[in-house]
Amino acid sequence: MNTLLLGIGAWDPEPWRARFQAVLPGWQVVLPGEIFDRRAVRYAAAWKQPEGTFADLPLLDAIFSLGAGVDHLFKDKRLPEGVPVVRVVDPDLTTRMSEYVVMHCLMALRRVRVYDGFQRERKWIDLRDQPQASDIRVGLLGMGVLGQDAAAKLKTMGFQVAGWSRRPKAVEGVAMHHGADGLDALVAASDILVAMMPLTADTAGILDAMLFSRLPKAEAIGGPVLINVGRGGLQNETDILAALDTGTLGAAVLDVFQTEPLPEDSPLWSHPHVTVTPHNSAISSPPAIAAYVAAQITAHMEGKPLVNVVDPAHGY
Ligand code: OXD
């Protein structure tokens, strides 16, 4: 019987199994600790799988990440070589991510966290300065599907939007930068900097003191704002805290952390200018993602090529 192996290490696998069983009738859906015929496994789907989950599967045709990121897969030293890894590109996940990014850009624009503080102290303070979105420059690091969707929605709200990608890329209506020089130019012109890029050897630790020192003053919103919805490995948390304390950064909105869950003793929890969310800017919803994976499996079994295949050399 055709078998799908679900290598899920970080979430409850049962809702995923139930969804996959519903969208792949006639398939066996198994979890790593169970007894099954390893030669029957044609496809695998994964989120933070235990190391070696996908080794010794001689007929494995593809591994699907259950999230947009694939770094969790490439960490596995026993990941089979030559088996395509496919990432999620689905409107459900993309929409959730753009909601988060647009919401936090608007919150920074309208100084929502500052007014929260005034309210808690019962202070009727009106800062009076009220820039419009069109006064504020948002720089997006990473212009894949998620970055492009966020860019379009931020533009609808009136923000000035620019983007950066590793390689040259044209995105209609967005001022695009690329490469090392392009990164400096983008950062220097970003009142709000949004990290949406994958974690790779090239991007690890990129959000550091050096990069923050290039940000503009962004006085209209009380200092430049960093939003990281990519990966915790992109950021140096000591540098973020130092930059917040010197005013190099005005605020940070962090959905991802070097260590997750964020340790209870991290100073980020209580910093007045930090917003912490538990890596849920865009959750993978079992119904939407299982339907996406099942459609790819069905098409692939009919001889059609897989789409959204990751280039292992670049890690995305
Ligand atoms: C993802 C994530 O990669 O949630 O989708 O981090």
Side-chain angles (χ1 to χ4, degrees), residues 1-26:
M1 186 190 271
N2 281 330
T3 300
L4 172 76
L5 172 59
L6 278 185
I8 298 184
W11 305 322
D12 175 5
E14 290 306 338
W16 288 95
R17 182 179 353 223
R19 282 317 303 175
F20 274 112
Q21 257 158 359
V23 290
L24 288 172

Side-chain angles (χ1 to χ4, degrees), residues 251-272:
V253 177
L254 306 176
D255 184 50
V256 286
F257 301 89
Q258 286 170 336
T259 303
E260 293 180 9
L262 182 63
E264 229 177 280
D265 61 357
S266 168
L268 291 168
W269 282 113
S270 53
H271 196 290

Side-chain angles (χ1 to χ4, degrees), residues 102-259:
V102 173
M103 171 180 74
H104 283 287
C105 288
L106 286 170
M107 284 175 69
L109 172 73
R110 300 305 298 258
R111 315 289 302 274
V112 171
R113 296 302 303 269
V114 175
Y115 283 104
D116 281 349
F118 294 158
Q119 179 180 345
R120 271 195 298 277
E121 291 175 29
R122 298 173 175 267
K123 286 190 174 147
W124 184 273
I125 297 176
D126 179 351
L127 295 172
R128 295 315 300 172
D129 281 345
Q130 199 172 88
Q132 293 199 331
S134 56
D135 299 320
I136 301 303
R137 299 162 296 174
V138 181
L140 298 170
L141 299 176
M143 286 298 285
V145 174
L146 297 178
Q148 290 187 39
D149 192 70
K153 289 172 180 164
L154 287 163
K155 278 174 65 77
T156 301
M157 291 312 305
F159 288 101
Q160 298 175 44
V161 183
W164 179 84
S165 58
R166 200 174 61 84
R167 284 171 290 190
K169 186 178 232 175
V171 177
E172 208 187 313
V174 179
M176 284 296 295
H177 303 265
H178 71 274
D181 292 348
L183 179 64
D184 288 351
L186 178 102
V187 170
S190 294
D191 301 306
I192 302 177
L193 185 69
V194 188
M196 306 187 76
M197 75 252 269
L199 177 63
T200 67
D202 292 334
T203 61
I206 197 168
L207 305 174
D208 65 359
M210 178 81 91
L211 180 139
F212 303 146
S213 71
R214 299 196 175 105
L215 286 162
K217 297 254 175 286
E219 275 149 3
I221 52 170
V225 176
L226 170 69
I227 300 177
N228 186 4
V229 289
R231 283 289 178 266
L234 300 173
Q235 74 200 11
N236 180 322
E237 288 167 11
T238 309
D239 288 3
I240 291 178
L241 285 160
L244 286 165
D245 290 342
T246 57
T248 308
L249 273 178
V253 177
L254 306 176
D255 184 50
V256 286
F257 301 89
Q258 286 170 336
T259 303

Side-chain angles (χ1 to χ4, degrees), residues 47 67-69 93 231 279 282 284:
W47 188 253
L93 193 140
R231 283 289 178 266
H279 196 147
S284 290

